[in-house]
Amino acid sequence: MRAAIQQETGRDKLEVLDDVEAVGFGPGRVRIRIRATGLCHSDLSAMNGVLPQPTPFVPGHEGAGEILDVGDGVTGLRPGDRVLMCWLPACGDCPSCKRGQTHLCLAGFMNAGTPNFKRPGGDVFGFAGTGTFAEEVVVAANCAVPIPDDVPYEIAALIGCGVTTGLGAALNTAEVAAASSVAVLGCGGVGISVIQGARACGAAQIVAVDPVATRREAALRFGATEAVAPEELADAKARITGGEGFDYVFEVVGKSATARTAYETTRRGGTLCVVGAGAMDDIFQVNMFELFFDEKRILPSLYGGGDVLRSYERAIALWRAGRIDLEGLITHRVRLGGVNDALDQMRSGTALRTCIEI
Ligand SMILES: [Zn+2]
Ligand SMILES: [Zn+2]
């Protein structure tokens, strides 16, 4: 079957090959025919080495498709079921799961060092234990979450990562209060989802901050009340908050420099919510006096920061009710053979989400 493969870290082009096989099918596991996958910024970060990932590997972790086959012992899933891919499944048994923080369950990562694919040339890994830039993948049954019939594959795929990450940051982690002021630094697919989440929570002001004009324009369509370039942020803070700072500031870039700007843009006693996935050697600094004296809450948000299955349901409910726009997030569509064009669009900063139909 066909899959797009990153041969080594640092290369900027994937090779689309047709001699790939999904491996590991057996008890407790399912085989999925991927139908749609989103291109998430984390895929680029794995390709360029910002996020750790063994090579060669198949990128992609935001996918949806149909079940082809279920292994022994799998209950609740049958061939033909439509599912979305959860790259961080909860085991239900570990200390994190038992205390209700299922998004911190690491059970799904235990297999991260196990190859998901093979080729005549050897083993191939899947990014984050999945690898959705492929016609088929084999994953643990709890990575396959059934979706209602009215949710198209391309929408389900986005809910599998970017939408859940952004909405959850606003709804679960920051718990944005009605009538509050919000700034969102970084307005790709995840940042736009934060904006939609903040709007659903009833924020009064939502300021989108991004260096790319097309993203600022998009942010306004998705509920931002104002959109500014990074160099205009200090002025917006002074004008909108009287210089005090915003009640909530979301960092959706994954860099210490933007996190520091976000910290300084947050009011005393306000909330800095860190959503961006950054590098291990990029250090965020806060001095001990400001940390204590300004009492700003620094809240990281991983994969939406709440019960993942509940977050999926909530995204679907808001989408069905017309309270969030998910179709509009898809700014480009390509087939698997056009994946390198999709990568270029993502790097150019113009794409919110690219949907790869497989
Ligand atoms: Zn667990
Ligand atoms: Zn992602």
Side-chain angles (χ1 to χ4, degrees), residues 40-42 61-62 87 161-162 165 353:
C40 180
H41 208 270
S42 303
H61 57 288
E62 191 178 84
W87 55 268
C161 185
T165 298
R353 265 298 185 269

Side-chain angles (χ1 to χ4, degrees), residues 89-98 101-102 104-107:
C91 73
D93 233 14
C94 71
S96 289
C97 283
K98 282 182 172 160
Q101 293 178 310
T102 50
L104 298 182
C105 178
L106 289 176

Side-chain angles (χ1 to χ4, degrees), residues 30-34 65-67 83 85 135-137 139 144:
V30 296
R31 184 186 301 277
I32 300 173
R33 172 67 173 89
I34 298 293
E66 65 192 297
I67 300 274
V83 296
M85 182 84 75
E135 289 175 338
E136 289 179 23
V137 295
V139 292

